[in-house]
Amino acid sequence: MQSDTPTDEQHRAIQAIDAWYKDDGAQQVFWLAGEAGTGKTKTTAFALEHLLDRRRLTDYVVGAPTGKAAQVLRQKGIEGAATLHSLLYAPRKDGDSGELFFARRSDGPVADADLIVCDEGSMIGDDLARDLMRTGKKILVIADDYQLPPVSGQGLFTSGEPDFRLTEPHRTARESPVIRLAHLLRRQEMPRRFGSVGKVHVLPLEHRTQSLVMRPSSQAICGTHRVRTTYTKRMRKLLGHESTMPQTGERVICRRNQKDEGLYNGMIGALTRPAAEAQGRDAGLWSLGVQMEDEVRSRGKLIVHPWMFQAHYTEGMVQPRVGKDIQLYDWAWLITCHASQGSEFPSVTVVDDSGAFREHRWRWLYTAVTRSREELVLLLRNADLGGPWQVPAFDDCLPG
């Protein structure tokens, strides 16, 4: 476990943040950088405690780009973490059409805050970054600059040099084969050979290793929707699911934030019953029973639009217009690396699609690998690392 006392490097980071915060003439944004395992979240918590105690910081908000990322922050002890979207925007109704849209809010937590803390800053698109800066508040950005850039824009908060970079991995990270592999990939280097170290397995993606992708207990991550669809259909067939509707036990992912319902984009769960066609005013939608991860009680009736499920079986399907009050879900047997950002899983299986990301190839691999907390299977395409290796034995592999 990490100490409750800052390390020398963390102390220097706290002092740098303190000097920035108390200087009225300092730039609006302070970027605290650090690769996986360097204790960015813990350092942020130390810095907030210091500002509350020494600088009379009274109100601050902590936000992340996705609901899942905010949930991870709360699990790490950052209470009150929310999505940046919910902190910054509020739903409004168009007076003519009656449709809901989101507008920047002039009240709420951000209006009363002296400081905005943005975690997973590498995921924040340029438009959202500009809206955050328009608040006029000081912004503390926490970001690993080697993760994939945001889908929209180049990353306004992380395009320059960080104000302070954490470089020393904490003790637990130094002992982790996952973190050691991540640091190797960050240097744009591959392991010297295929093989296994503890619970980390680096293997070629070939016929003998295909079954490792289809393990219900491991979260598989890929890079493209084509690969995701191919493996999802193959896995469902192996599980005996002939219906194109989700069935009991299948892994699903929430794809839309609904704060009032406690649902956030990126949350994963499993179906407690087969999906059913909704009736009455919800005709055309599907009803799901879902046990979400980290929730005690299952949700007996979630009404969702079916198009994300249907797209796996309907080639060229065009995304329909879905009202903002209707929930979206999809299968989560495989998720893309972009969708996984901000999340952590006990076990991860990475299908190497890094070649599709060209200049961001190494960033893609690094981001995918660092989603694992403990167990990792990295299946590399077109790599000839050599060395003796064997397929690790797992109890839940489906025949490939």
Side-chain angles (χ1 to χ4, degrees), residues 68 71 252-254 262-269 292-293 295:
K68 181 63 178 179
Q71 184 184 45
V252 292
I253 183 171
C254 174
L263 292 170
Y264 299 101
N265 185 8
M267 292 176 67
I268 289 176
M292 303 302 297
E293 292 179 353
E295 290 189 350

Side-chain angles (χ1 to χ4, degrees), residues 81-240:
T83 64
L84 290 169
H85 193 273
S86 68
L87 293 172
L88 202 58
Y89 306 108
R92 301 282 188 266
K93 183 176 287 189
D94 187 282
D96 296 325
S97 66
E99 291 190 355
L100 286 174
F101 66 97
F102 285 88
R104 196 154 56 91
R105 54 195 299 181
S106 58
D107 58 357
V110 171
D112 298 328
D114 301 311
L115 175 68
I116 302 173
V117 180
C118 300
D119 194 46
E120 297 290 349
S122 60
M123 296 172 60
I124 298 174
D126 292 355
D127 289 342
L128 178 56
R130 291 189 186 97
D131 279 348
L132 284 163
M133 294 180 71
R134 288 189 184 105
T135 65
K137 311 287 184 176
K138 285 202 168 184
I139 303 169
L140 174 59
V141 173
I142 317 302
D144 181 344
D145 53 331
Y146 205 68
Q147 286 200 32
L148 282 172
V151 176
S152 60
Q154 298 301 309
L156 194 62
F157 284 153
T158 56
S159 57
E161 288 296 316
D163 297 285
F164 193 96
R165 183 186 297 279
L166 296 167
T167 61
E168 300 172 3
H170 55 75
R171 182 179 59 81
T172 305
R174 288 196 300 270
E175 297 171 354
S176 165
V178 173
I179 298 300
R180 292 205 298 270
L181 175 60
H183 290 183
L184 195 65
L185 296 172
R186 197 181 195 283
R187 298 195 299 269
Q188 299 189 7
E189 298 176 15
M190 284 289 182
R192 288 177 293 177
R193 60 181 65 87
F194 291 124
S196 303
V197 177
K199 294 185 178 182
V200 173
H201 314 277
V202 180
L203 306 169
L205 180 61
E206 59 166 53
H207 177 71
R208 286 180 292 169
T209 58
Q210 289 287 339
S211 63
L212 299 178
V213 181
M214 292 170 279
R215 291 176 53 215
S217 68
S218 183
Q219 180 58 61
I221 294 174
C222 61
T224 68
H225 289 292
R226 179 182 60 81
V227 171
R228 190 171 70 90
T229 294
T230 298
Y231 275 109
T232 295
K233 290 164 68 174
R234 186 183 303 172
M235 190 162 186
R236 297 193 74 243
K237 185 176 181 180
L238 289 170
L239 289 167

Side-chain angles (χ1 to χ4, degrees), residues 287-362:
S287 169
L288 306 181
V290 185
Q291 176 63 61
M292 303 302 297
E293 292 179 353
D294 304 317
E295 290 189 350
V296 176
R297 294 184 179 180
S298 63
R299 296 173 182 260
K301 188 179 179 182
L302 283 175
I303 302 300
V304 306
H305 197 285
W307 85 267
M308 285 190 166
F309 295 108
Q310 294 170 336
H312 291 266
Y313 291 91
T314 308
E315 188 173 350
M317 185 174 183
V318 178
Q319 178 178 344
R321 197 170 177 180
V322 180
K324 290 183 172 63
D325 57 336
I326 299 175
Q327 184 54 260
L328 294 173
Y329 267 70
D330 195 0
W331 277 297
W333 292 122
L334 282 86
I335 59 177
T336 65
C337 187
H338 274 104
S340 74
Q341 281 185 273
S343 299
E344 294 179 339
F345 306 95
S347 175
V348 167
T349 301
V350 178
V351 179
D352 175 18
D353 283 337
S354 60
F357 294 83
R358 298 179 183 177
E359 71 270 22
H360 294 310
R361 178 197 176 200
W362 293 99

